[in-house]
Amino acid sequence: MLSPRSYRNAYLIAHSTVRFASSKIGPQLRSIGEVEQLFSQPDEIKTDPTIQTPKQSLPSEELVLKLLKLSGLPSKCASIPVIQQNLSKQLDLINKLHTFSPENSQDGIKLDPNHARIMPRSTHKLTYKELMEKIEYQKQNKDPELGEVEDGSWNATETTSISRNGYFVFRHGFIHDGN
Amino acid sequence: MLRRTKTGITTVATHSMFRILRRRYSVTSHFKLNDRYKLKCGLEIHTQLNTKNKLFSASNNKSSSHFNSIPNSQVSFFDLALPGTQPLLNYEPILFATKLALSLNSEINLNSSFDRKHYFYADQPQGYQITQHYSPFAQHGHMNLFRDIDNIEQEQKRINITQLQIEQDTGKSTYLQDEKITLIDLNRSNVPLIELVTEPDFTELQQVKAFIKKYQNLIRHLHISTGDLETGAMRVDVNVSINEYPRIELKNLPNTSSIIHAIKFEYERQIRIIETGGTIPSMETRGWDANKMETVKLRSKEGIMDYRYMPDPELPNVTLSEDIITNVRETLPILPDTLIHKLMSEPFNLSLKDAKILTIKSNNQNDLYDHESLRNYYLETFTEYKNQVGSTINCKLPTTWIIHELLGDLNKLQIPLLQCEAILTPQLFSEFLLLLHKEKISNTSGKLLLFHILETMKEVSYDKTMELNLNKLIKEFNLELTNNDVGDNELTEICQQILDNLNNDKMIQDIKSGKKPKSIKFIIGQGMRLYQGRIKPQDFERKFKELLNVK
């Protein structure tokens, strides 16, 4: 199921902004301490000066309209030029990120695309005993501070501006009429 | 009848034409596959898992069992996608998915992961569904269908299963078109689902029907889902194509009848398009209009969503050790097909029909019992009975008296099996069978006795302290077979008296002449009724034949 093409498609914008140059974006960060240290530095030195990426041209109005539609956002009153400018800056950043090749990382370590997550990359293999213990624990532990209550006693629609007999109310045209 | 249109033209012809067209375009009752057009179907089945909690939160998973519960009463902050909330995987669905994957002979992915499928819909507050797109939970499974068990044309048919993936369900929408609003209930939001995708291996309608029924029974057998189509606990989409033309996806099929009718309609519709020189559009999705009994276009290729799949950055991979597969396999119950064959073999020797009653949940069953509790009752009783009689076992006795007689009485008296077995335990029922086995009571007396016991337990509101002494009851109602006490001369006198009282010379002559030999059963019935089953019907038959001089 995991074809390189479909994986790349995960990054919608990347279609038009795939890697322009291969280079590295600095040494791999190995601890939270190193991440904190990096972000404590002034902005201008965070980017590796060796990275050369072409200046991103403004995305077309058509692309902006498509993105708005995909995002469920109204386009009728949207300021397209402002969005084009903002998007262009974001694309610049993404271009820079794309210059980093997982296959050619500086340590020569080939990375698993499955690791493109914030979560720990190598998780502990769950044994049957652990699985059953986890299930038993989860069955008995709810967190009322997250609205996880046994009797469903909190009123989910209490703070909504419109509700009806316990239902949330969705007004038609909220998405489509705005486009 | 003539009708007038705005233009003043009579419309008899138009109406006739319309009726003809409706008839042509609706599902024909005499559906037959056309040899020139091969039917090809694949299924996508969504199954709601009946875990205690939802998939990524610890809110109650009561969506399917309490589908009429108060709206938005079973939701956590995460289920509502309130800002700042994050998913936390509930591991019970992992266990359930493992059971299902193993039962469907699938390869389990020991390192599966979750991805986000983006689309905007009012009952999907996150703006994406968490599913398994890139690395699903299991792949390459199969289910075998058999002619005898599953009622298909071929001796055997293998349906390959592409994959099983775990994902979240969405909320429910109620459209109020007049008010231009939709009411949203998120009780179902984040309920765990398994999506099963088959290969397009179905070539006949009966195979589709059989697979759905078999899969439904399997998930019930494994206790991982109620499997009810009516409540949406199981939802089936179908891909239909003919020959090598593009496939059409059918959605919104609420029950098996809709599924079958929709395939029939779609098959005939696609043939019409091809034969009239039309083109089957690629990637079209159609729904089922139950009122018009036809499929209707929902969306075409142009309307296909770009789901922008991406790995969910908030969920770690699901990494499992091999021992999970080994241990779960060991805890699996005997699967239905194996169970049917077991029940049809020694020492049970059940017929296929009876074995199915004990193995497959049928729509004829009601709240009084389910096939599983009935099977357990049967097996326990059988074991007790076998222990008492050893090699002289009559395997038909437990079958007849539990599957047929007891069930009939429970239905007649509206007694749940659960209440019954608390008083008439398998141990006691085996004692009852022993009385029949040793011919201490006749079948007729047995029926009377069983009905009396059940009726009494209902009268005392299933009081578990109810006294149930079979021998005492037999004496009290004088049900013991009297054959041993009735000598041959006495039996001759009894039978002669019955024939005299019958006062029906024509019947006697018809029996003697062989014109209506079966009428002797009526006379035997008179004797059984008169002596309340205390004399065996075989003895009555022998004596009557002797007196009437017939073989």
Side-chain angles (χ1 to χ4, degrees):
Chain A
M1 291 301 289
L2 181 59
S3 70
R5 181 172 171 77
S6 58
Y7 190 76
R8 273 219 313 259
N9 284 347
Y11 304 92
L12 175 75
I13 300 167
H15 286 302
S16 57
T17 59
V18 286
R19 199 184 310 145
F20 289 101
S22 275
S23 63
K24 56 180 188 277
I25 53 169
Q28 213 172 47
L29 302 174
R30 299 185 182 282
S31 67
I32 289 292
E34 287 183 12
V35 175
E36 284 171 353
Q37 192 189 355
L38 176 75
F39 282 95
S40 66
Q41 294 168 346
D43 280 355
E44 56 269 24
I45 62 163
K46 283 182 199 167
T47 312
D48 188 327
T50 61
I51 296 177
Q52 296 293 319
T53 54
K55 186 74 181 166
Q56 176 65 43
S57 58
L58 283 183
S60 68
E61 187 175 335
E62 190 191 357
L63 179 63
V64 172
L65 289 173
K66 187 185 173 192
L67 289 172
L68 287 172
K69 190 180 176 191
L70 279 172
S71 308
L73 295 170
S75 57
K76 202 181 279 177
C77 305
S79 175
I80 304 298
V82 173
I83 296 172
Q84 282 176 298
Q85 288 292 341
N86 291 340
L87 196 54
S88 173
K89 285 181 190 169
Q90 289 171 26
L91 290 172
D92 268 342
L93 174 67
I94 292 167
N95 267 341
K96 283 177 187 172
L97 291 175
H98 267 280
T99 62
F100 174 70
S101 165
E103 289 84 6
N104 296 319
S105 67
Q106 64 165 24
D107 298 332
I109 303 166
K110 195 171 179 182
L111 297 180
D112 183 350
N114 221 348
H115 289 161
R117 295 161 196 262
I118 295 171
M119 302 306 291
R121 292 181 172 181
S122 302
T123 43
H124 165 68
K125 280 187 182 177
L126 209 59
T127 64
Y128 179 72
K129 185 169 177 277
E130 289 165 340
L131 175 70
M132 300 311 281
E133 283 170 357
K134 265 181 184 285
I135 291 171
E136 214 39 56
Y137 175 82
Q138 288 180 326
K139 276 184 181 177
Q140 288 161 17
N141 286 277
K142 291 182 186 289
D143 188 347
E145 290 194 354
L146 297 175
E148 298 169 347
V149 284
E150 195 61 59
D151 58 359
S153 60
W154 77 283
N155 184 352
T157 56
E158 192 176 32
T159 55
T160 57
S161 52
I162 314 172
S163 64
R164 186 183 293 183
N165 303 327
Y167 289 94
F168 292 103
V169 175
F170 177 74
R171 283 170 291 173
H172 294 181
F174 177 72
I175 292 176
H176 298 296
D177 291 357
N179 282 313
Chain B
M1 184 178 149
L2 300 181
R3 292 179 189 216
R4 287 213 167 264
T5 64
K6 283 179 186 172
T7 55
I9 300 167
T10 50
T11 57
V12 176
T14 320
H15 270 270
S16 302
M17 184 70 79
F18 178 72
R19 276 202 303 274
I20 291 166
L21 284 172
R22 273 298 296 275
R23 207 159 45 230
R24 277 189 64 198
Y25 285 86
S26 63
V27 180
T28 55
S29 54
H30 303 292
F31 177 85
K32 203 175 166 206
L33 289 176
N34 185 328
D35 288 343
R36 288 187 296 134
Y37 300 102
K38 301 279 180 212
L39 172 72
K40 198 156 76 171
C41 292
L43 301 182
E44 279 184 27
I45 303 180
H46 285 89
T47 307
Q48 275 185 348
L49 301 179
N50 54 5
T51 51
K52 183 173 187 290
N53 295 333
K54 291 189 182 178
L55 184 54
F56 295 116
S57 73
S59 47
N60 301 323
N61 175 15
K62 288 185 177 175
S63 173
S64 53
S65 55
H66 297 71
F67 54 94
N68 285 325
S69 64
I70 302 162
N72 297 302
S73 61
Q74 308 297 333
V75 288
S76 70
F77 298 171
F78 176 79
D79 306 333
L80 299 180
L82 294 187
T85 52
Q86 287 185 312
L88 182 67
L89 177 64
N90 173 10
Y91 281 87
E92 202 177 12
I94 301 292
L95 176 66
F96 283 18
T98 309
K99 287 181 179 180
L100 183 60
L102 289 174
S103 305
L104 291 171
N105 312 293
S106 303
E107 292 169 15
I108 293 177
N109 179 356
L110 294 175
N111 189 22
S112 66
S113 55
F114 289 100
D115 309 291
R116 293 181 179 181
K117 176 184 179 180
H118 296 84
Y119 63 92
F120 288 90
Y121 215 74
D123 54 22
Q124 175 80 288
Q126 283 174 139
Y128 58 85
Q129 178 194 27
I130 304 179
T131 180
Q132 294 191 304
H133 181 70
Y134 294 115
S135 189
F137 189 77
Q139 287 177 298
H140 313 306
H142 68 267
M143 180 189 264
N144 288 321
L145 302 175
F146 301 97
R147 181 190 288 157
D148 54 355
I149 296 177
D150 304 304
N151 199 24
I152 59 167
E153 286 288 320
Q154 300 83 351
E155 187 66 35
Q156 187 175 339
K157 172 80 182 176
R158 174 180 165 128
I159 303 297
N160 291 296
I161 291 159
T162 316
Q163 67 180 57
L164 296 175
Q165 63 198 51
I166 303 169
E167 60 187 30
Q168 303 173 293
D169 208 341
T170 61
K172 274 185 183 174
S173 297
T174 309
Y175 301 99
L176 302 179
Q177 286 299 348
D178 292 347
E179 298 182 63
K180 291 188 175 173
I181 58 169
T182 301
L183 301 180
I184 307 288
D185 175 13
L186 296 172
N187 279 348
R188 204 179 68 175
S189 168
N190 194 28
V191 163
L193 293 177
I194 288 181
E195 182 181 330
L196 172 148
V197 183
T198 75
E199 293 292 312
D201 288 341
F202 300 92
T203 53
E204 287 176 11
L205 286 173
Q206 198 52 37
Q207 294 165 3
V208 176
K209 209 171 172 180
F211 184 92
I212 293 170
K213 198 175 171 191
K214 194 162 197 167
Y215 175 76
Q216 188 178 45
N217 188 57
L218 176 65
I219 55 179
R220 286 169 173 164
H221 190 80
L222 296 172
H223 296 288
I224 61 171
S225 174
T226 62
D228 296 330
L229 287 160
E230 297 75 19
T231 61
M234 185 174 143
R235 305 190 283 271
V236 182
D237 299 337
V238 190
N239 292 314
V240 183
S241 63
I242 52 175
N243 295 347
E244 296 307 316
Y245 289 96
R247 63 188 169 89
I248 300 286
E249 186 177 5
L250 302 178
K251 283 182 172 290
N252 305 340
L253 306 165
N255 48 48
T256 314
S257 153
S258 301
I259 294 163
I260 298 304
H261 278 120
I263 298 172
K264 284 180 181 175
F265 180 88
E266 196 51 30
Y267 177 74
E268 290 177 339
R269 189 186 74 87
Q270 291 181 24
I271 290 177
R272 273 196 306 275
I273 291 175
I274 293 161
E275 291 195 335
T276 53
T279 309
I280 308 274
S282 65
M283 306 177 89
E284 184 174 275
T285 303
R286 300 177 70 87
W288 175 245
D289 186 330
N291 293 323
K292 293 182 180 171
M293 293 288 280
E294 60 187 33
T295 62
V296 286
K297 184 174 164 181
L298 294 179
R299 61 173 180 260
S300 57
K301 188 180 180 182
E302 292 71 37
I304 285 188
M305 297 280 290
D306 178 352
Y307 290 124
R308 293 166 290 152
Y309 286 103
M310 61 168 277
D312 193 305
E314 295 181 324
L315 285 160
N317 283 14
V318 183
T319 46
L320 307 175
S321 102
E322 280 278 356
D323 85 315
I324 288 185
I325 294 177
T326 319
N327 281 284
V328 173
R329 200 190 293 279
E330 279 173 11
T331 61
L332 281 181
I334 300 174
L335 296 180
D337 282 356
T338 315
L339 199 52
I340 286 176
H341 287 126
K342 184 182 167 188
L343 289 169
M344 289 173 71
S345 313
E346 289 288 340
F348 310 106
N349 294 315
L350 289 185
S351 66
L352 175 62
K353 190 181 167 198
D354 288 338
K356 278 179 159 183
I357 291 174
L358 296 184
T359 313
I360 299 169
K361 181 179 166 64
S362 110
N363 291 332
N364 297 331
Q365 288 169 13
N366 46 36
D367 292 339
L368 297 178
Y369 69 95
D370 63 63
H371 65 288
E372 196 174 346
S373 48
L374 183 66
R375 183 174 67 243
N376 290 337
Y377 189 76
Y378 168 83
L379 290 173
E380 282 180 47
T381 307
F382 190 97
T383 308
E384 291 282 349
Y385 165 62
K386 188 169 177 281
N387 287 343
Q388 293 184 65
V389 297
S391 60
T392 63
I393 187 168
N394 174 2
C395 61
K396 281 188 179 169
L397 266 186
T399 315
T400 309
W401 285 93
I402 294 177
I403 300 179
H404 304 294
E405 204 59 44
L406 177 67
L407 275 195
D409 286 350
L410 293 180
N411 279 321
K412 206 177 288 174
L413 293 165
Q414 288 294 292
I415 296 175
L417 177 61
L418 197 68
Q419 302 278 20
C420 166
E421 69 180 330
I423 297 166
L424 187 57
T425 59
Q427 167 76 36
L428 268 172
F429 204 94
S430 71
E431 284 177 26
F432 169 73
L433 293 180
L434 204 61
L435 294 172
L436 292 154
H437 181 92
K438 290 183 174 173
E439 296 187 347
K440 281 187 85 175
I441 56 171
S442 68
N443 283 351
T444 311
S445 300
K447 286 178 186 178
L448 290 170
L449 181 61
L450 181 61
F451 194 84
H452 170 79
I453 291 168
L454 295 170
E455 202 172 33
T456 308
M457 73 169 71
K458 191 176 181 182
E459 279 169 10
V460 300
S461 305
Y462 312 109
D463 182 355
K464 289 190 182 105
T465 59
M466 167 187 157
E467 190 195 9
L468 188 48
N469 185 325
L470 294 174
N471 287 320
K472 201 172 161 185
L473 284 171
I474 287 169
K475 279 189 184 139
E476 188 180 333
F477 294 106
N478 198 19
L479 294 173
E480 196 157 6
L481 270 177
T482 54
N483 293 57
N484 296 336
D485 305 331
V486 180
D488 195 55
N489 290 340
E490 195 181 348
L491 185 61
T492 307
E493 274 177 36
I494 289 169
C495 289
Q496 190 57 58
Q497 198 174 359
I498 290 169
L499 290 173
D500 293 344
N501 291 342
L502 193 64
N503 197 20
N504 190 336
D505 290 341
K506 189 173 182 310
M507 181 184 282
I508 304 276
Q509 283 310 316
D510 285 347
I511 295 170
K512 279 183 170 179
S513 67
K515 198 175 172 186
K516 290 185 177 174
K518 286 186 179 173
S519 294
I520 202 167
K521 300 281 180 197
F522 173 79
I523 304 175
I524 296 168
Q526 296 296 308
M528 295 299 289
R529 191 162 63 90
L530 198 63
Y531 282 84
Q532 296 192 352
R534 282 178 290 122
I535 296 175
K536 285 193 289 184
Q538 297 90 326
D539 291 330
F540 269 127
E541 185 172 0
R542 180 180 50 77
K543 184 53 74 180
F544 280 127
K545 281 184 173 174
E546 186 185 309
L547 290 173
L548 298 174
N549 198 23
V550 291
K551 287 184 179 177

